[in-house]
Amino acid sequence: MRVLQVDSGREWRGGQSQVRLLCRELNRTADVELRLTTGAGSLLAQRAAADGVRVSTTGWTMGLDPRALWRLVHDVRRFRPQVLHAHDSHALLLGLLARRIARVRPRAAVVGYRLVDYPVRRGSTWSRADCVAAVSEAVKRVLVTSGIPADRVAVIPPGIDPVELRQAAAQSLGIRARLGLSQTTPLALNLGALVEQKDQLTLIRAAAAARAPAPELHWAIAGEGELRTSLEDAIRSARLEDRVHLLGHIDGSAAAIRECDIVVLSSKAEGLPNVVLEALALGRPVVSTRAGGVPEALPETCLVPIGDAQALADTVARILRQPVVVPLLPRFTVEHLAREFLALYRRLI
C-alpha cells in the first residue's frame, strides 16, 4: 500500500506531533510504502526524517503556496499513492488539486484529518474528501452538522507514545528555579498557543479567584501567540504578577508537565488536545473546560463549563487537595492510531 502524507504546518504543534508519530508507525509496517510531503526546513520534516521516514520537502511559507502544489503534483505522478492523507485544510485543498492535475489512474483516495471543532462551510474542501477522520466524537458531530454525511466521517482519536514521552520528561527545564519556586510550591500549568481558542483570559481570572482557596498556588502559561500583550495587561490589571507567569515558547511539553502539579485547560474550542493525553500518561491530574472532545478523555469531576473562571479555580483547588489521576486509555496510544488509519486506508482502496 502506497500512502502519501501531507502537512502544511509551518509550526510545531500537537497536529505536527501526530503526523510525525503516525508516519513513524506506518513506516514500520511491512506492507506500507510511505512518503511525507511538507515544508522545507520545518521541524516536522527534520523529525520525521530522523525517524527514517522518506520526506519530500518544498517551499511552503503560506497556506496555499503554489510551490507546494507543484511539488504535490510531482509526488503524486512519481509515487502514485493509493491514499493521500492530508492533515489540515490547506494540505487537503492542495492535495485534491494535485490529484486532479496529475491525472494518475487509479486515483488516490483522499483522506482529511480534522483536529478542531470549528464548523466547516457547506461545500468546503472537507466535503470533497473521500473520507474525513475526526479526532473526536465532538468533532464528528460538528462535521455532520456542517453537512458532511455521517458515513463519510470516521472517528480516530489522537495517539501518543507513553514510553517516548516518559523519556522526554526526564530532561529538566528548570521552570521552578526560573520562577524562584520551591519544589513544594503548588504549580498549575497551561500549555498552548496564546490565541482566542485557548482562552487564557479565563485562566487569569481563575488565578484571581483561586487566591482564597489556594493562596500558595502559582500558574504558568507556556506558549506564544498574538494575544501575549493583552494577557500581560490582564495579569497587571488583576495584580497577579507574583502568581501568573508567561513562560513563552518552551521546548519539551513532557518535561514541563512533569515539573508541574496539575495541568489546566481553559479552552473555548478543542478537538482532543495532546496535552491532556500527555498529562495522563505522566500521571498528572488535569482540569479542563468541557471544550470539544476533552470530555471523551476526562471524567466529569475534572471538567468545568467554558468561560467559568470561578468553577475552574474551585476545581483546581479541590483536585490539588485530593488529586484525581486518570489512566491513559489504550485507544489514545500511537499503536491504536496507526491501526485505525490502516484499517481506514484499506477500506477506501
Side-chain angles (χ1 to χ4, degrees):
M1 182 193 313
R2 296 182 303 280
V3 180
L4 179 62
Q5 303 282 337
V6 186
D7 184 87
S8 73
R10 277 84 68 197
E11 300 176 294
W12 181 265
R13 292 189 179 180
Q16 284 67 51
S17 176
Q18 289 296 298
V19 178
R20 178 236 151 191
L21 286 172
L22 177 61
C23 287
R24 188 196 72 184
E25 291 302 303
L26 294 178
N27 202 46
R28 296 171 175 175
T29 305
D31 65 342
V32 174
E33 188 178 355
L34 185 79
R35 299 288 189 278
L36 167 65
T37 302
T38 192
S42 66
L43 281 174
L44 174 58
Q46 295 168 21
R47 293 176 182 179
D51 288 332
V53 174
R54 293 188 180 181
V55 181
S56 175
T57 60
T58 181
W60 209 328
T61 54
M62 55 183 177
L64 299 178
D65 198 314
R67 294 171 297 177
L69 172 60
W70 294 112
R71 168 50 62 180
L72 279 170
V73 171
H74 174 271
D75 289 348
V76 169
R77 285 174 173 164
R78 184 174 180 180
F79 183 47
R80 304 180 70 86
Q82 294 164 283
V83 175
L84 189 155
H85 183 163
H87 290 268
D88 58 81
S89 58
H90 293 136
L92 180 57
L93 176 54
L94 294 185
L96 287 165
L97 288 171
R99 182 179 70 170
R100 181 189 302 174
I101 294 169
R103 296 183 180 180
V104 171
R105 295 290 184 270
R107 297 198 317 168
V110 173
V111 177
Y113 197 18
R114 186 72 174 172
L115 303 181
V116 294
D117 63 343
Y118 303 138
V120 299
R121 182 174 46 82
R122 289 183 180 270
S124 72
T125 301
W126 294 93
S127 67
R128 288 186 272 153
D130 296 298
C131 181
V132 179
V135 76
S136 63
E137 292 287 348
V139 172
K140 178 177 180 176
R141 288 193 294 271
V142 171
L143 290 168
V144 172
T145 301
S146 297
I148 298 179
D151 61 1
R152 286 175 50 205
V153 182
V155 176
I156 301 181
I160 63 169
D161 182 339
V163 174
E164 182 180 77
L165 190 71
R166 293 181 192 117
Q167 292 171 346
Q171 67 171 310
S172 174
L173 297 179
I175 292 174
R176 289 177 179 275
R178 174 177 167 183
L179 300 178
L181 305 180
S182 73
Q183 292 301 313
T184 59
T185 301
L187 179 61
L189 176 69
N190 175 272
L191 272 163
L194 309 185
V195 294
E196 185 68 24
Q197 169 196 345
K198 300 297 183 181
D199 194 16
Q200 284 98 352
L201 281 172
T202 290
L203 190 85
I204 292 167
R205 291 195 292 269
R211 275 196 180 274
E216 302 301 318
L217 176 60
H218 284 250
W219 305 69
I221 301 174
E224 278 295 353
E226 61 198 35
L227 297 184
R228 184 181 181 98
T229 300
S230 63
L231 295 178
E232 290 172 339
D233 291 342
I235 292 168
R236 281 193 298 270
S237 296
R239 298 182 179 179
L240 289 169
E241 296 97 327
D242 64 331
R243 284 292 180 269
V244 180
H245 314 280
L246 297 180
L247 301 179
H249 174 75
I250 61 169
D251 286 320
S253 60
I257 291 169
R258 184 185 58 80
E259 294 181 26
C260 76
D261 296 290
I262 187 168
V263 171
V264 184
L265 280 79
S266 51
S267 304
K268 295 179 180 179
E270 289 287 358
L272 209 172
N274 283 6
V275 63
V276 170
L277 308 182
E278 292 177 357
L280 299 186
L282 293 170
R284 290 295 185 267
V286 181
V287 173
S288 175
T289 54
R290 294 187 185 90
V294 176
E296 297 169 36
L298 292 178
E300 184 63 25
T301 53
C302 300
L303 300 169
V304 303
I306 293 170
D308 193 332
Q310 187 64 59
L312 192 63
D314 292 342
T315 304
V316 168
R318 171 174 57 80
I319 290 183
L320 279 172
R321 292 192 301 269
Q322 296 178 316
V324 177
V325 179
V326 181
L328 180 74
L329 299 177
R331 69 191 184 98
F332 296 128
T333 61
V334 67
E335 292 83 5
H336 184 268
L337 175 75
R339 282 198 303 271
E340 289 295 296
F341 270 116
L342 275 174
L344 174 62
Y345 299 160
R346 289 180 176 126
R347 289 197 300 272
L348 289 171
I349 64 175

